């Protein structure tokens, strides 16, 4: 029988509820329990795949796709999920399933289609009970796919939002139906520290908990996000005003590394408290917690520092590339290296190409994934600059496609080479829509998605990274490098390092004489703190080698 932990958010969004959810999962894992997680996103998009990352952060891609079938004969492919799934995978080391990302789009789509198919015949279809029942059904079904000991459900948005209300009502009903020791409600809230008065302020939290109470929900645990740890008297105050014992008020301060959070929670007795509330007999936690502690230490102790320029078009919010940021940090931690990231809007280079020389200050360049026209020329210019200056460069997906365009322009001299996504009337479309994409009309869920097998060519840099000719990585794209142009590029020294097993598509390119590598897939989605992605690891290793060589030359 599955036990449920519901995680709601108060006061503000963006306070790290995903990291809290993942950390709660981790402390159950410390006790040898199995864990799965779910995220509820109250927006009306069916999945986040159509969202600009500036709106809602990165779009994460799962290992598998889910064939969402609200009624017979109507199937929607879901593989793109909320970025929190990346956090869950990185903390829990479990492949998440797209069925575990509920959106309001999916819920309402199901209810409306069911009405058309006569499922509620004779009834007025309403938010309560029809929408709430659909929500409960989705939570229960998803939890039973793996039947973990604990199912942690993160409710997106903030308590008080109109769009979150049906979910909170569904959770109220579930708590009643399942009974006391089967569910726990954790409320994560912001407790600002006001420097001017030197105090933590609890009022916004009091209001947010009142809001929850007015909907029939009493939190069991309050997690207080703040830049400083919560002093005892603040915990006491929250306890008094919010109707929870003071040991159930848990501090969630700023940390050097997010991977520390499960340990910080454990120190405050959160694991024990959760087990008590859920009446779970816990195993000893020593061995697994020690493993994690050793891992976290790696993220804090560095011998080296590497500066990486992340060049892209969604640099306004850091979360746009969160899996890449984390994959770089995983590789860095493994190699005793701190990774310092600088986000550079590629449009800057279009405005003034002289600015490209700032790239000389970096040890490596990462050309990011993306879509559309804006900022593309600047990204191509950076790739050309890296090739001329032999700056290590890793291009991911769009980044790999733009690296290819840069190579064609630079070494074959086709100055108007482009992608049909960017300039459909260019004379040389060296990146073009994949054949199977040409007749697709609907945009949502129709890209090449999820994990695919590839053949890696021996002797390449990519082979050196994986040490294998067979790899499986995740994809999310519509366009691809055109093979005829790849042949021309090969004649000028470009190396094709990987091919899709099913479709023979070009999945990896690289240069011979410098560590400049592009991959059509997203290795960052499978990177975990304890298992860094081979591509990212090889990238950082080469940067370190490069730095060493440079230093020696200087001596
Ligand atoms: N826009 C490109 C494509 O669709 C690349 C996508 C990406 O970077 N994920 O092929």
């Amino acid at each position: 029988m599955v036990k449920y932990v519901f995680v709601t958010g108060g006061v503000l969004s963006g306070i790290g509820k995903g990291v809290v959810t993942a950390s709660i999962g981790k402390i159950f894992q410390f006790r040898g329990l199995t864990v799965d997680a779910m995220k509820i996103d109250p927006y009306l998009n069916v999945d986040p795949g159509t969202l600009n990352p500036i709106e809602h952060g990165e779009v994460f891609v799962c290992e598998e796709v889910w064939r969402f079938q609200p009624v017979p004969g109507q199937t929607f492919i879901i593989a793109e999920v909320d970025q929190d799934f990346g956090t869950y995978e990185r903390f829990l080391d479990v492949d998440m399933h797209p069925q575990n990302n509920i959106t309001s789009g999916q819920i309402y789509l199901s209810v409306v289609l069911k009405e058309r198919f006569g499922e509620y015949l004779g009834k007025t279809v309403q938010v309560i009970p029809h929408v709430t029942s659909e929500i409960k059904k989705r939570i229960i079904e998803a939890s039973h796919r793996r039947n973990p000991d604990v199912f942690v459900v993160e409710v997106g948005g903030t308590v008080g939002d109109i769009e979150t209300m049906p979910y909170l009502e569904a959770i109220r009903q579930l708590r009643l139906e399942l009974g006391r020791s089967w569910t726990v409600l954790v409320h994560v809230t912001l407790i600002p520290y006001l420097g001017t008065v030197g105090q933590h302020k609890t009022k916004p939290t009091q209001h947010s908990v009142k809001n929850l109470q007015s909907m029939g929900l009493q939190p069991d645990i309050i997690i207080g996000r703040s830049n400083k740890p919560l002093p005892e008297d603040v915990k006491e105050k929250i306890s008094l005003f919010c109707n929870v014992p003071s040991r159930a008020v848990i501090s969630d301060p700023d940390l050097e590394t997010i991977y520390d959070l499960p340990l910080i929670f454990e120190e405050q007795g959160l694991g024990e408290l959760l087990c008590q509330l859920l009446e779970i007999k816990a195993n000893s936690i020593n061995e697994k917690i020690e493993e994690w502690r050793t891992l976290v230490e790696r993220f804090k102790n560095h011998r080296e520092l590497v500066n990486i320029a992340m060049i892209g078009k969604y640099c306004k919010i850091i979360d746009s590339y969160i899996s890449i940021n984390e994959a770089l940090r995983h590789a860095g931690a493994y190699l005793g290296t701190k990774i310092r990231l600088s986000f550079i809007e590629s449009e800057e280079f279009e405005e003034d190409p002289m600015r490209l020389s700032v790239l000389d200050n970096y040890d490596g360049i990462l050309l990011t994934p993306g879509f559309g026209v804006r900022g593309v020329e600047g990204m191509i210019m950076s790739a050309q600059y890296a090739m001329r200056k032999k700056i290590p460069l890793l291009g991911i997906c769009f980044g790999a496609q733009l690296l290819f365009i840069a190579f064609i322009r630079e070494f074959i001299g086709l100055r108007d080479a482009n992608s049909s996504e960017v300039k459909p009337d260019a004379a040389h479309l060296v990146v073009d829509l994949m054949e199977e994409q040409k007749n697709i009309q609907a945009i949502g869920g129709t890209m090449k998605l999820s994990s695919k097998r590839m053949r890696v060519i021996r002797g390449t840099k990519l082979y050196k990274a994986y040490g294998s000719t067979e790899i499986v990585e995740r994809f999310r794209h519509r366009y691809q490098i055109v093979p005829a142009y790849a042949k021309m590029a090969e004649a000028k020294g470009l190396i094709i390092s990987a091919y899709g097993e099913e479709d023979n598509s070009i999945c990896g390119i690289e240069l011979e004489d410098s560590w400049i590598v592009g991959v059509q897939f997203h290795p960052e989605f499978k990177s975990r703190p304890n298992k860094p992605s081979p591509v990212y690891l090889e990238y950082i290793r080469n940067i370190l080698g490069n730095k060493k060589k440079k230093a020696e030359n200087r001596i």
Side-chain angles (χ1 to χ4, degrees):
M1 292 285 272
V2 184
K3 302 248 168 171
Y4 298 84
V5 177
F6 296 107
V7 181
T8 55
V11 182
L12 285 186
S13 63
I15 55 174
K17 223 175 338 131
V19 178
V20 169
T21 304
S23 300
I24 288 176
K26 195 77 217 166
I27 56 185
F28 284 113
Q29 282 186 342
F30 288 158
R31 293 165 169 76
L33 299 163
T34 55
V35 176
D36 200 358
M38 162 172 264
K39 171 80 194 285
I40 293 173
D41 281 304
Y43 48 66
L44 287 170
N45 304 58
V46 170
D47 67 35
T50 53
L51 285 171
N52 183 327
I54 294 174
E55 292 267 321
H56 206 74
E58 170 191 273
V59 176
F60 192 74
V61 178
C62 294
E63 192 69 8
E64 300 171 57
V65 302
W66 177 45
R67 303 177 73 81
F68 166 46
Q69 201 172 48
V71 289
Q74 301 280 331
T75 307
F76 301 85
I77 300 290
I78 314 269
E80 296 156 296
V81 293
D82 186 79
Q83 65 167 28
D84 282 330
F85 279 67
T87 310
Y88 306 158
E89 289 205 356
R90 291 186 280 271
F91 274 74
L92 304 175
D93 198 7
V94 171
D95 284 343
M96 300 297 304
H97 196 277
Q99 187 184 357
N100 291 15
N101 193 181
I102 299 185
T103 66
S104 293
Q106 292 169 14
I107 296 292
Y108 284 100
L109 186 64
S110 295
V111 171
V112 171
L113 283 172
K114 282 179 181 172
E115 184 274 334
R116 289 292 84 183
F117 276 66
E119 194 162 319
Y120 313 114
L121 219 49
K123 294 272 178 239
T124 309
V125 183
Q126 291 179 302
V127 173
I128 303 173
H130 301 103
V131 168
T132 44
S133 297
E134 189 63 32
I135 294 168
K136 287 192 288 180
K137 185 168 153 268
R138 277 291 305 273
I139 295 174
I140 300 294
E141 270 175 12
S143 71
H144 285 161
R145 200 172 36 75
R146 282 193 185 137
N147 278 316
D149 295 319
V150 183
F151 197 61
V152 193
V153 181
E154 176 186 351
V155 185
T158 311
V159 168
D161 296 346
I162 290 178
E163 50 187 22
T164 312
M165 286 188 180
Y167 296 100
L168 296 176
E169 169 58 16
I171 290 170
R172 188 193 65 76
Q173 293 176 19
L174 268 180
R175 297 198 79 188
L176 188 70
E177 289 160 19
L178 291 167
R180 251 187 183 282
S181 62
W182 294 92
T183 74
V184 156
L185 181 61
V186 178
H187 191 54
V188 186
T189 158
L190 180 75
I191 304 182
Y193 179 81
L194 278 197
T196 43
V197 286
Q199 261 184 348
H200 282 94
K201 288 294 182 189
T202 64
K203 193 72 80 192
T205 297
Q206 295 175 35
H207 282 296
S208 159
V209 170
K210 284 220 166 67
N211 224 323
L212 262 181
Q213 288 166 339
S214 72
M215 294 165 74
L217 288 168
Q218 168 63 47
D220 299 298
I221 294 169
I222 292 179
I223 296 193
R225 180 77 190 89
S226 189
N227 39 6
K228 287 172 184 278
L230 302 180
E232 268 323 299
D233 62 323
V234 174
K235 288 189 173 184
E236 296 287 348
K237 191 164 179 189
I238 295 170
S239 155
L240 181 67
F241 283 94
C242 300
N243 197 29
V244 294
S246 67
R247 66 183 277 247
V249 182
I250 306 286
S251 183
D252 174 7
D254 283 355
L255 297 170
E256 190 185 334
T257 165
I258 51 169
Y259 300 111
D260 220 352
L261 193 59
L263 300 173
I264 301 291
F265 282 172
E266 205 57 79
E267 276 169 23
Q268 298 175 74
L270 179 61
E272 216 174 292
L273 178 63
L274 281 164
C275 286
Q276 244 174 38
L277 291 166
L278 290 171
E279 293 176 13
I280 293 176
K281 282 203 185 53
N283 295 340
S284 142
I285 63 170
N286 295 341
E287 199 182 311
K288 291 209 166 75
I289 206 171
E290 279 317 314
E291 244 171 61
W292 189 257
R293 209 186 298 279
T294 312
L295 187 67
V296 173
E297 282 310 307
R298 273 202 217 148
F299 283 79
K300 293 183 184 168
N301 299 319
H302 313 106
R303 299 180 299 275
E304 314 259 2
L305 172 73
V306 156
N307 284 303
I308 293 188
M310 297 265 291
I311 301 172
K313 48 189 292 182
Y314 311 121
C315 297
K316 271 190 214 138
I317 65 165
I318 292 172
D319 276 359
S320 303
Y321 307 113
I322 186 167
S323 292
I324 296 180
N325 309 350
E326 290 305 307
L328 289 166
R329 288 196 187 108
H330 300 163
Y334 190 85
L335 298 167
T337 302
K338 185 177 176 70
I339 309 286
R340 191 186 288 148
L341 298 174
S342 305
F343 296 87
I344 302 177
E345 282 285 348
S346 54
E347 278 176 305
E348 277 184 25
F349 301 139
E350 296 168 11
E351 282 157 26
D352 180 6
M354 296 295 280
R355 288 199 198 150
L356 280 165
S357 61
V358 15
L359 298 178
D360 295 333
N361 304 330
Y362 293 94
D363 303 311
I365 295 175
L366 198 138
L367 222 49
T368 56
F371 295 83
V373 180
R374 185 179 65 82
V376 163
E377 277 305 311
M379 289 178 73
I380 298 173
M381 287 159 80
S382 335
Q384 284 176 291
Y385 192 83
M387 290 194 282
R388 285 177 205 153
K389 294 279 191 127
K390 298 194 189 316
I391 306 171
L393 178 145
L394 176 58
I396 305 288
C397 201
F398 204 34
Q401 296 170 359
L402 301 181
L403 169 64
F404 183 68
I405 295 171
F407 185 94
I408 298 273
R409 289 188 187 178
E410 188 76 9
F411 293 102
I412 307 188
L414 302 177
R415 303 222 173 275
D416 66 344
N418 219 318
S419 161
S420 51
E421 178 178 3
V422 179
K423 195 164 183 265
D425 58 350
H428 298 282
L429 292 174
V430 302
V431 174
D432 201 2
L433 260 188
M434 287 183 273
E435 210 41 53
E436 64 273 25
Q437 289 284 332
K438 291 193 172 151
N439 293 320
I440 285 177
Q441 305 252 307
I443 289 295
T446 54
M447 274 187 258
K448 176 174 173 181
L449 291 170
S450 79
S451 76
K452 311 273 174 228
R453 281 188 175 280
M454 284 168 277
R455 270 183 296 122
V456 178
I457 306 303
R458 269 182 212 280
T460 58
K461 295 180 172 69
L462 202 63
Y463 178 79
K464 190 158 179 242
Y466 285 94
S468 168
T469 54
E470 268 183 40
I471 60 169
V472 180
E473 293 282 5
R474 301 182 193 175
F475 285 81
R476 178 174 185 246
H477 69 123
R478 261 183 233 289
Y479 295 82
Q480 65 176 4
I481 292 171
V482 176
Y485 285 104
K487 277 258 161 327
M488 285 169 70
E490 275 185 291
K492 294 283 180 189
L494 186 85
I495 295 163
I496 313 291
S497 56
Y499 294 91
E501 194 179 88
E502 260 172 40
D503 55 6
N504 225 26
S505 58
I506 294 164
C507 295
I509 55 172
E510 55 190 54
L511 264 59
E512 169 103 63
D513 58 347
S514 42
W515 208 93
I516 295 191
V517 169
V519 288
Q520 185 60 74
F521 49 93
H522 292 266
E524 62 276 11
F525 290 145
K526 283 174 63 162
S527 184
R528 312 236 164 121
N530 54 341
K531 290 179 212 145
S533 155
V535 179
Y536 284 86
L537 199 55
E538 192 58 19
Y539 173 53
I540 302 297
R541 205 175 259 142
N542 265 276
I543 288 177
L544 289 171
N546 232 25
K547 278 188 83 169
K548 202 162 155 210
K549 244 185 264 156
K550 264 197 209 157
E552 281 167 5
N553 285 346
R554 236 175 274 134
I555 296 164

